[in-house]
Amino acid sequence: MSTSDLYELVFLSGGVEQTLRQTGRLPESWVPKYLATIQDARSSFDGATVWPKQVFQAFHYSSMYLPLRYDVWATSANTSNSKTERSIAEIRFETEVYLWLSLSGVDRWKPNLASTNEVAFGKNGARLIELCFGDISPVGEIDQSTSFRTWKDSYEECLRNIELELKTTDCWPKWICMAIHFASFYIDLFQSQCIDLVKMAIELEADTLRTRIDDVIRKLRTEIENDAVLNLIRLWLSSCSSKRDSSGLPKIGDRRPRTGQFISVRTLSEVFLLGGINVSAS
């Protein structure tokens, strides 16, 4: 399947977004076609340092936004569709596993090696990846009231510069894509939940999925050295079948009493990731 075929399947063919939002169902045969694109992507892009822009946009949207479209229907109809929910959980899990594993075997970001990273990803790209996955990531911090505001300023500055650098390019570096993907949804989950990341992930994992999740984390451990980041990725993969709240986050754990303001970088991130796509974004 070509890049344009995948883009059409997700954003154009059969009006999948509209069908899901209006009927609570995915178009007939859409799910197997979509899952086949993941296998095609493995054969086409494994080992490459970049994705075609439209490929990443299609995978990001399918994993993060199709579940939100289903929730619009379920809320308005005050009912549910178990078949659709199973399909969405499979789409989300298989997409996220593919995206994270795609970092393996490509030019890697190396913690604390600024000059090497800047050669591979550019000054702003290297800094953004460090902000999401390195020691200065907000994931793992207990008191974020001050540090997260500082982090957010740095993230937004890097992202705006990267947007200018990549504005006219048709391919995006995988590491930069995944850093923004992580910042947009995963960090929101970390901020909003008062949980033991490791314990919660173990409780949520189904036996049939645990081996695959373990394999993803094992491979990522050679790329990302921040254990708190890895635990958050494990938690997200483990909760792919969990119900979602209105912002698309898994409904797990207890809400953290907020002593400071909740600060999200999602809007800016999503404008970058999905800019120019003719779909409504939540």
Side-chain angles (χ1 to χ4, degrees):
M1 179 174 287
S2 68
T3 298
S4 60
D5 288 338
L6 171 59
Y7 189 87
E8 180 178 351
L9 178 69
V10 173
F11 295 114
L12 302 175
S13 179
V16 60
E17 185 257 359
Q18 184 177 5
T19 300
L20 189 58
R21 184 158 41 88
Q22 293 181 349
T23 70
R25 298 190 302 271
L26 290 158
E28 193 68 28
S29 77
W30 190 90
V31 175
K33 287 181 180 178
Y34 174 80
L35 294 176
T37 68
I38 296 177
Q39 297 303 320
D40 291 343
R42 286 194 174 100
S43 61
S44 299
F45 307 118
D46 274 10
T49 60
V50 299
W51 278 301
K53 174 182 176 180
Q54 290 186 341
V55 167
F56 186 76
Q57 287 177 320
F59 284 137
H60 175 77
Y61 184 83
S62 298
S63 181
M64 299 303 188
Y65 283 95
L66 290 185
L68 287 171
R69 301 303 174 251
Y70 167 77
D71 287 340
V72 168
W73 171 82
T75 300
S76 62
N78 194 29
T79 186
S80 61
N81 184 315
S82 59
K83 179 180 178 181
T84 302
E85 290 179 357
R86 288 193 298 272
S87 294
I88 285 176
E90 184 178 16
I91 289 166
R92 182 190 291 124
F93 182 79
E94 295 297 339
T95 303
E96 292 299 303
V97 166
Y98 165 68
L99 292 177
W100 287 114
L101 287 180
S102 70
L103 294 178
S104 182
V106 303
D107 287 346
R108 63 167 295 209
W109 167 75
K110 300 177 177 65
N112 304 316
L113 290 177
S115 59
T116 300
N117 291 327
E118 287 185 15
V119 169
F121 306 107
K123 181 179 179 180
N124 290 296
R127 177 64 173 171
L128 185 134
I129 297 166
E130 181 184 11
L131 285 165
C132 293
F133 300 138
D135 292 339
I136 58 175
S137 171
V139 175
E141 294 289 337
I142 296 175
D143 180 8
Q144 300 173 5
S145 58
T146 300
S147 61
F148 198 88
R149 284 184 173 83
T150 301
W151 179 91
K152 181 175 181 283
D153 290 342
S154 296
Y155 177 86
E156 291 188 350
E157 180 183 9
C158 286
L159 189 59
R160 287 194 177 96
N161 290 333
I162 290 169
E163 188 170 19
L164 292 175
E165 294 167 0
L166 299 181
K167 188 174 182 179
T168 60
T169 63
D170 293 328
C171 292
W172 288 347
K174 288 180 176 180
W175 272 96
I176 291 175
C177 287
M178 290 309 294
I180 301 170
H181 180 80
F182 179 82
S184 188
F185 278 84
Y186 285 62
I187 289 179
D188 276 9
L189 173 62
F190 175 77
Q191 282 196 101
S192 68
Q193 304 294 338
C194 183
I195 48 180
D196 181 321
L197 294 179
V198 178
K199 181 180 179 182
M200 180 63 71
I202 291 173
E203 290 174 352
L204 288 169
E205 287 174 22
D207 290 339
T208 55
L209 300 180
R210 187 168 299 171
T211 299
R212 292 187 64 193
I213 295 173
D214 286 345
D215 184 58
V216 173
I217 300 303
R218 178 178 58 80
K219 291 179 178 178
L220 281 177
R221 196 172 295 280
T222 65
E223 314 287 340
I224 298 172
E225 296 180 3
N226 186 326
D227 285 340
V229 167
L230 293 174
N231 288 337
L232 185 56
I233 294 170
R234 176 185 285 277
L235 177 63
W236 189 280
L237 295 178
S238 302
S239 59
C240 280
S241 297
S242 300
K243 299 288 187 181
R244 257 45 184 178
D245 65 19
S246 61
S247 65
L249 301 179
K251 292 181 178 179
I252 51 179
D254 298 320
R255 286 288 178 182
R256 172 181 294 159
R258 296 187 181 164
T259 56
Q261 183 181 359
F262 180 86
I263 302 175
S264 175
V265 295
R266 181 179 299 182
T267 299
L268 190 66
S269 300
E270 294 304 306
V271 169
F272 176 91
L273 292 176
L274 296 179
I277 295 176
N278 188 26
V279 292
S280 56
S282 295

